[in-house]
Amino acid sequence: MKLAVIGCGYVGLVSGSCLAEAGHDVVATDNDASRIAALQAGKIPIYEPNLDKVLDTVVREGRLRFTSDCAQAVRGADVVFICVGTPPSETGEADLSAIDNVARLIAKESRSPKLIIEKSTVPAQTGEQLKRALHVYANNAGASFRVASNPEFLREGTAVEDFFHPDRIVIGVEDKETEQQLRELYRPILEGHFRCPVHQPNCPPAATPDFVVTTIASAELIKHASNSFLGLKISYANVLADLCERLGGNVDEVTRAVGLDPRIGGQFLKAGLGFGGFCLPKDIQAFIKLADRAGVDFGLLKETERVNKQRVDQLLEKVKKALWVMKNKQIGVLGIAFKPNTDDIRLAPAIEVIRRLLAEGAVVRATDPEAMERARAVFPGLCYSADPYEVARGADALLLLTEWEQFRRLDWKRIRSEMARALIIDARNMLRPAEMKALGFEYLSFGRPDPAGAAASNTSN
Ligand code: UDX
């Protein structure tokens, strides 16, 4: 099929590349001309493992191309994916102005029937607004529009794998024709006809993903409901960590055993600095606002948000309690990205932690395998180093804020020798308390008591 993808961010770039790999003819466009120029020159503006492999192949094979001319991209397509950003406005509600702008452009430029798909995360009933905008601004005979919702469930760092091997594909449609067209569009993914760069040369037998067909409003709600439930689980684990710190439990052991119940599941129960990124926090905020507007008080999510914001306060309390005076103390920061395997620092808890450390007068040195360039734009005066050992040198404390695998494998004996004071505050519960104590560190984390005080745990975690 001839597809247009509007918006070349995390969602648009991954979706456009993978749909081209699945055999479609894709034109991707963005209103940021420099981003399009970079992409046309083969430079990918985000760090997303495996995206380069897919994108290089489909561009070379002529199945994906980039243009700044959004009108031309729309005119040439049968199906248009809207993948533009829906950032939080000051009130916390999703800012849908980019969606509205694109809808008017599509309406104005189209001269033939088109299926318009909202892939950006949008509040329920946006589909209605989209249909109305397309209808009101349409100005060419022959143009007609069907609208569908097709929310994405891509995680940064594994987005390409998530696209090729989704748990489920959700479509919100209003008629059989649209359902059939989307089944056809996703057939290569459903049947495994694609070269997956993650499992080259061949994928494990792909479990056929569920293909969920529902209404547009339900599909829009499914996205918000999924993401906010993930946040709810994380905040639940973080309150358990608070309890463990006071009652002497070990939150890793508690959540591991709780997660063994298949009705609960072990993922997204990791306690620590909480959730960041450009999805979970803003989707929860938007969902709370949507519920408020609908006259429903989503207290569960307001509490989820409150607990999550509190994590940074709690980390700073641990640091202050250990250091007493923060002014002029050398503090090393390992990890800035909101999670490992991404360069994305948007709403990353580490950013707030660094801001607070600087406000207290501490001298901060930071490292991150991928996110330092983006961090420089936020903290230009900060001292950065690609070498964690340099960040540890002379430090009075070392804060582990993002659980990059590289940090687990550090030579912690050497780290200890570099530090002025062997104090580690592991905000992601990545390291093992007993091992760090044995190496002579003062070791703090979330919800895990000193091994000396705790019964030797027989669970391997
Ligand atoms: C999320 C959803 O997972 C994905 O389905 C959706 O499409 C987009 O939003 P993403 O934002 O890339 O994906 O990150 P995710 O892997 O969900 O992690 C979000 C945050 O939660 C990170 O800051 C991570 O550190 C934190 N997290 C995750 C925890 O604190 N504990 C956990 O157990 C898991």
Side-chain angles (χ1 to χ4, degrees), residues 152-156 223 227 230 234 238 267-271 273-280 338-340 349 403 428:
E152 51 82 19
F153 300 100
L154 307 178
R155 291 164 296 171
E156 288 181 36
K223 173 65 183 174
N227 262 12
L230 293 169
I234 293 166
N238 279 322
Q267 297 196 50
F268 281 66
L269 282 177
K270 193 99 182 78
L273 199 49
F275 55 86
F278 208 56
C279 291
L280 263 51
F338 82 94
K339 69 175 196 176
E403 66 281 24
R428 292 292 182 181

Side-chain angles (χ1 to χ4, degrees), residues 9-43:
Y10 282 93
V11 175
L13 267 185
V14 171
S15 305
S17 306
C18 295
L19 285 167
E21 171 49 46
H24 298 295
D25 176 12
V26 182
V27 180
T29 180
D30 195 295
N31 62 4
D32 175 349
S34 62
R35 177 171 282 245
I36 292 296
L39 286 161
Q40 286 169 335
K43 284 205 261 343

Side-chain angles (χ1 to χ4, degrees), residues 21-156:
E21 171 49 46
H24 298 295
D25 176 12
V26 182
V27 180
T29 180
D30 195 295
N31 62 4
D32 175 349
S34 62
R35 177 171 282 245
I36 292 296
L39 286 161
Q40 286 169 335
K43 284 205 261 343
I44 301 180
I46 58 173
Y47 172 79
E48 183 57 50
N50 297 304
L51 178 59
D52 53 344
K53 293 191 200 106
V54 180
L55 199 145
D56 294 347
T57 306
V58 292
V59 167
R60 194 174 56 248
E61 293 172 352
R63 291 222 291 259
L64 168 65
R65 67 181 180 81
F66 297 100
T67 177
S68 285
D69 184 344
C70 185
Q72 179 212 39
V74 166
R75 280 196 296 273
D78 306 314
V79 181
V80 180
F81 279 89
I82 299 180
C83 301
V84 294
T86 54
S89 62
E90 303 76 58
T91 62
E93 293 180 281
D95 171 356
L96 301 177
S97 54
I99 303 258
D100 182 43
N101 294 338
V102 163
R104 282 181 287 153
L105 183 144
I106 292 169
K108 198 160 64 69
E109 296 299 337
S110 298
R111 300 182 182 125
S112 60
K114 297 190 190 293
L115 171 55
I116 312 302
I117 298 178
E118 54 177 38
K119 187 164 264 299
S120 306
T121 302
V122 293
Q125 296 177 352
T126 300
E128 287 309 309
Q129 306 292 350
L130 183 55
K131 274 191 327 193
R132 188 171 305 120
L134 290 166
H135 178 70
V136 163
Y137 290 101
N139 68 1
N140 297 312
S144 66
F145 303 105
R146 282 174 289 117
V147 169
S149 166
N150 174 219
E152 51 82 19
F153 300 100
L154 307 178
R155 291 164 296 171
E156 288 181 36

